[in-house]
Amino acid sequence: MIASLLLKYITNPILLLSIFITIDGHADLHDHHQRVGSHGMAVFADNQHNLYASHLPLYNKPHDYQIIYQIETSDKPQILRLLAQGMVTLLPTQFDLNKLVNAERFSIDAAYYQGHFERGGTQVSNASILFAKAVLIEPVQANFFAAQAQFYQVPLSETSSLLIHKIQRAPSFDAIAVVSRPVEKQNSDLLMCDKPKAQLHPDITTAFKQCGIGSLTYLETQDFR
């Protein structure tokens, strides 16, 4: 049908342009709806006790984005106590991830878990979460490859910064570190480190200690094998 319309109106450039815009608009709308779903997140804190939520990315839609937001919640004291005991994740009610991709500020209800909500974690509370400020919004490119490990650098204060590993093609990993130093100025906006010898937790932590990253706040390998 589209082909017949183009042939019929090929001599009318204005109408032809409007057809292309309509087609492209439908494609954008379809892509938009592909990001509605359950978007689990890992919670962590910086050295000033600010809370952050990191979207748990995957290679495929609707989860193919590395997104970190500073968040606010009425359960903050409890969340900080739980973080002192181990991993905390949250699962908001279903929403369109494009709201975060577009750096929107909004509130939504969420369930909080001690541990990973999909791997035996225990639900500890329900509370609204405010996505207050976007910290990082980067697409996951399933075929991306680089000779070195690369970290996005985000300044948190004059004396601390956030490092987020740029996910490469499988096997890879998602990693976050809060470091007590300003962003390092290199030839790139990314911090470059030698890759770990294997995609195992001990190898990854050892490699990044040699890069000056003393400890990792969050590390996930299973979803990127």
Side-chain angles (χ1 to χ4, degrees), residues 145-213:
F145 175 80
Q148 290 182 295
Q150 301 182 356
F151 284 83
Y152 300 111
Q153 302 186 93
V154 180
L156 297 178
S157 68
E158 292 183 356
T159 58
S160 66
S161 54
L162 192 62
L163 303 178
I164 307 101
H165 179 250
K166 182 176 182 178
I167 296 170
Q168 300 195 22
R169 72 187 183 197
S172 190
F173 55 92
D174 186 16
I176 300 169
V178 178
V179 295
S180 298
R181 66 171 189 251
V183 167
E184 292 188 15
K185 299 299 182 183
Q186 299 185 340
N187 293 331
S188 168
D189 291 336
L190 298 166
L191 174 68
M192 307 293 183
C193 298
D194 290 337
K195 283 187 174 180
K197 295 179 180 179
Q199 309 301 311
L200 301 173
H201 286 220
D203 296 278
I204 293 170
T205 54
T206 297
F208 294 148
K209 282 181 181 177
Q210 297 173 356
C211 190
I213 302 172

Side-chain angles (χ1 to χ4, degrees), residues 67-82:
I67 299 176
I68 296 179
Y69 254 74
Q70 187 171 342
I71 62 170
E72 297 175 9
T73 175
S74 58
D75 273 6
K76 180 177 180 178
Q78 181 185 12
I79 300 304
L80 289 171
R81 286 194 298 271
L82 293 172

Side-chain angles (χ1 to χ4, degrees), residues 1 3 11 22 32 37 44 46 48 56 66 80 82 94 104 121 126 139 153 158 169 174-175 181 183 193 196 211 217:
M1 181 178 178
T11 57
T22 301
H32 179 80
F44 66 94
D46 63 16
Q48 301 296 317
L56 303 180
Q66 289 182 264
L80 289 171
L82 293 172
Q94 286 203 355
E104 295 182 28
N126 284 284
Q153 302 186 93
E158 292 183 356
R169 72 187 183 197
D174 186 16
R181 66 171 189 251
V183 167
C193 298
C211 190
T217 304

Side-chain angles (χ1 to χ4, degrees), residues 31 35 55 57-68 97-98 100-101 136-144 150 152 164-169 190 224:
D31 183 67
R35 299 196 191 282
H55 171 243
L58 297 171
Y59 287 117
N60 299 320
K61 290 180 180 178
H63 307 292
D64 54 337
Y65 262 87
Q66 289 182 264
I67 299 176
I68 296 179
L97 190 69
N98 281 325
L100 298 184
V101 173
L136 178 83
I137 304 172
E138 293 290 345
V140 174
Q141 300 170 339
N143 295 319
F144 171 72
Q150 301 182 356
Y152 300 111
I164 307 101
H165 179 250
K166 182 176 182 178
I167 296 170
Q168 300 195 22
R169 72 187 183 197
L190 298 166
F224 306 98

Side-chain angles (χ1 to χ4, degrees), residues 33-47:
H33 286 302
Q34 289 300 307
R35 299 196 191 282
V36 175
S38 297
H39 300 290
M41 304 183 178
V43 181
F44 66 94
D46 63 16
N47 49 18

